[in-house]
């Protein structure tokens, strides 16, 4: 996928997703994280979404931007539950142009349906020029 516009400081990208019980079960199989909170529904029939599954929200945006992450730091503030829509907002904090690439530092904030922050991230990486 080719990049249409060069990245710029202040660019904001958003993605919204609701994780399902099946998503959590499949990620548990792949990752090996089979804690009870991820396999046994609570009194409302929900599972807690694995932190690293929640962290796939910015990786979707990064993929859309052809962004190659070098470092990713996550802060998980509170549980994410299945069937709760999570909104991920990615902001380019700094962009430096090089001969063959853009070096980009981005911040990410993910919120739940009650507009509470569930996860924040800082990501450093690059986007190759055409």
């Amino acid at each position: 996928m080719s990049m249409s516009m060069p990245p710029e400081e202040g660019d904001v990208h958003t993605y919204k997703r609701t994780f399902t019980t099946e998503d959590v079960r499949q990620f548990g199989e792949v990752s090996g994280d089979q804690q009870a909170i991820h396999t046994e529904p609570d009194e409302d029939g929900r599972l807690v979404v694995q932190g690293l599954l929640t962290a796939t929200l910015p990786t979707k945006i990064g993929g859309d931007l052809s962004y190659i992450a070098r470092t990713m730091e996550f802060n998980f503030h509170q549980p994410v539950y299945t069937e709760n829509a999570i909104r991920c907002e990615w902001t380019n904090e700094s962009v430096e142009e090089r001969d063959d690439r853009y070096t980009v530092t981005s911040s990410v904030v993910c919120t739940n349906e009650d507009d509470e922050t569930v996860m924040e991230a800082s990501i450093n990486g690059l986007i190759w020029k055409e």
Side-chain angles (χ1 to χ4, degrees), residues 13-17 56-58 60-61 86-89:
H13 305 277
T14 59
Y15 175 61
K16 192 172 188 177
R17 177 170 179 187
T56 65
L57 294 168
K60 158 67 166 102
I61 295 170
I86 304 300
R87 182 177 185 275
C88 181
E89 183 173 288

Side-chain angles (χ1 to χ4, degrees), residues 80-95:
V80 169
Y81 294 95
T82 51
E83 309 312 328
N84 189 291
I86 304 300
R87 182 177 185 275
C88 181
E89 183 173 288
W90 167 303
T91 304
N92 288 343
E93 299 294 340
S94 68
V95 178

Side-chain angles (χ1 to χ4, degrees), residues 103-118:
T103 302
V104 184
T105 300
S106 305
S107 63
V108 172
V109 178
C110 295
T111 52
N112 62 19
E113 291 174 353
D114 296 323
D115 207 31
E116 299 165 328
T117 298
V118 295

Side-chain angles (χ1 to χ4, degrees), residues 27-53:
F27 192 82
E29 290 289 324
V30 171
S31 67
D33 187 351
Q34 302 280 13
Q35 295 179 66
I37 58 172
H38 305 314
T39 60
E40 297 172 19
D42 66 10
E43 61 279 355
D44 296 318
R46 308 172 304 175
L47 295 176
V48 173
V49 177
Q50 294 92 341
L52 288 178
L53 179 53

